[in-house]
Amino acid sequence: MAATDAPALYIAHDDDTVIVSALPLTVAGGRAETFVWGKVVEISPADAPAVPATARQVRGLGVVVIVGGFGLNCAGFQQGLLVGLLGLVLVLVGFARGVAVRPGVIAAPQLQARPEQHHVLVHDADREVFSDAVELGQRASATWPLLGDLIDVAAAEWLLTHALLDLAGALEQRQELRELRGDVAGHVGRRSPADPQVRDLSARLAAADVALAGLDDDIERRVGGLRAVAVAGEEFVRDEEVRDLTRRVDEAIGRLASVDSPGSQDSGAELAGHLEAVLRAYRELADQRGSDGEPTSAAGV
């Protein structure tokens, strides 16, 4: 991938966590499913493949075979060593199958070194908001190639990745503040109202509520901006489709008008008139021959 086409945002997610980062994210210990759109790379652990027998069963069978081989060897049978080797192979295969079906986990190799470049979302509500925002981003970016010179696609893709990264940061801040508020509220609820520390905790609780309200508004504004971009692009594309359809209808009507306009030659009507004239002449000829006593059948014409 060329440098100009390099991803600008990585989103790794599983059933419990979403990590958003400007630095590469991976899946460790298993296979990964990757979806690339614009300058965004989405990564998630792949579902474990189905296997006919579990790794534990294979390993267990291998242990049984090893024990059997050892018994045969003790009894003086030379085949015991081969049987034991077969059991060892089964044990190794069992371990390999266990690794193959082990579900992977999302990993951020540079999370500890550069935490400011990562945002981790674990709460369902925050992950759902971000998932909706990603969908809006996909919808918006799908329309940009259709807008022609109206938009610089490369610049728009960079702005979109920054918008998603900033949104993830705001969601992470709200998530952290919500947790802290819950801790403060817990302490307030467990203490007597006469406790002097309750007043300080209550003041901080009120400040946390104000900050949370501000974050709610900020997040709603950010998501609303992404929605406006997606809708604007989709409406422009629909309008262009309507304009194109209108143009094609007008052209078709124009072609039909030029063919069927008053005074223009109508091939069907001309053929019908010609046929009617031939039949009239044929009838006149038949009547004339009939009056002369000659055959009136078509064979006599």
Side-chain angles (χ1 to χ4, degrees):
M1 182 178 289
T4 55
D5 297 329
L9 187 69
Y10 293 84
I11 302 171
H13 53 86
D14 58 18
D15 293 337
D16 302 313
T17 306
V18 173
I19 301 179
V20 186
S21 176
L23 303 176
L25 303 174
T26 62
V27 169
R31 297 182 302 111
E33 292 182 349
T34 303
F35 175 57
V36 180
W37 55 275
K39 293 187 178 298
V40 179
V41 177
E42 294 188 57
I43 305 169
S44 62
D47 293 334
V51 293
T54 65
R56 182 178 299 177
Q57 290 172 328
V58 175
R59 291 197 302 268
L61 178 60
V63 171
V64 171
V65 174
I66 290 174
V67 172
F70 180 75
L72 289 174
N73 190 58
C74 291
F77 293 96
Q78 297 181 351
Q79 295 85 352
L81 180 60
L82 294 176
V83 173
L85 289 175
L86 176 61
L88 179 61
V89 170
L90 288 174
V91 171
L92 294 176
V93 170
F95 278 111
R97 292 170 71 89
V99 172
V101 301
R102 184 182 303 159
V105 295
I106 58 178
Q110 302 184 62
L111 176 59
Q112 299 301 324
R114 303 183 64 181
E116 75 284 354
Q117 293 292 332
H118 299 77
H119 303 298
V120 182
L121 307 176
V122 296
H123 290 182
D124 290 344
D126 300 317
R127 291 190 292 116
E128 183 177 355
V129 169
F130 190 75
S131 177
D132 292 342
V134 170
E135 182 181 355
L136 290 171
Q138 292 174 355
R139 286 170 50 188
S141 64
T143 66
W144 292 340
L146 305 176
L147 302 184
D149 296 334
L150 295 177
I151 188 171
D152 184 337
V153 175
E157 288 176 343
W158 278 101
L159 289 173
L160 175 59
T161 59
H162 284 292
L164 290 174
L165 187 63
D166 292 343
L167 173 62
L171 288 168
E172 185 181 44
Q173 288 179 350
R174 185 175 70 175
Q175 176 180 263
E176 180 182 3
L177 185 56
R178 191 190 298 121
E179 292 175 353
L180 291 174
R181 185 202 178 282
D183 292 341
V184 172
H187 281 288
V188 171
R190 288 192 298 268
R191 291 174 179 268
S192 169
D195 190 329
Q197 290 186 330
V198 170
R199 289 192 297 272
D200 292 338
L201 290 175
S202 297
R204 285 165 173 76
L205 189 63
D209 288 337
V210 172
L212 280 173
L215 280 172
D216 288 341
D217 293 340
D218 181 53
I219 290 168
E220 184 176 354
R221 177 183 59 80
R222 293 178 184 274
V223 175
L226 290 171
R227 182 177 295 106
V229 171
V231 171
E234 291 170 344
E235 287 183 347
F236 180 86
V237 171
R238 283 195 296 267
D239 290 345
E240 284 295 294
E241 291 174 349
V242 170
R243 281 190 286 268
D244 181 65
L245 178 60
T246 302
R247 177 185 57 78
R248 289 189 286 116
V249 169
D250 290 342
E251 290 177 353
I253 293 175
R255 289 193 300 268
L256 292 173
S258 65
V259 172
D260 296 333
S261 59
S264 63
Q265 185 176 4
D266 188 338
S267 299
E270 182 181 359
L271 175 60
H274 178 70
L275 182 59
E276 183 179 355
V278 170
L279 292 176
R280 184 167 55 251
Y282 176 79
R283 285 194 295 269
E284 292 175 354
L285 180 59
D287 292 342
Q288 181 180 0
R289 291 190 176 187
S291 62
D292 294 339
E294 297 183 2
T296 58
S297 65
V301 178

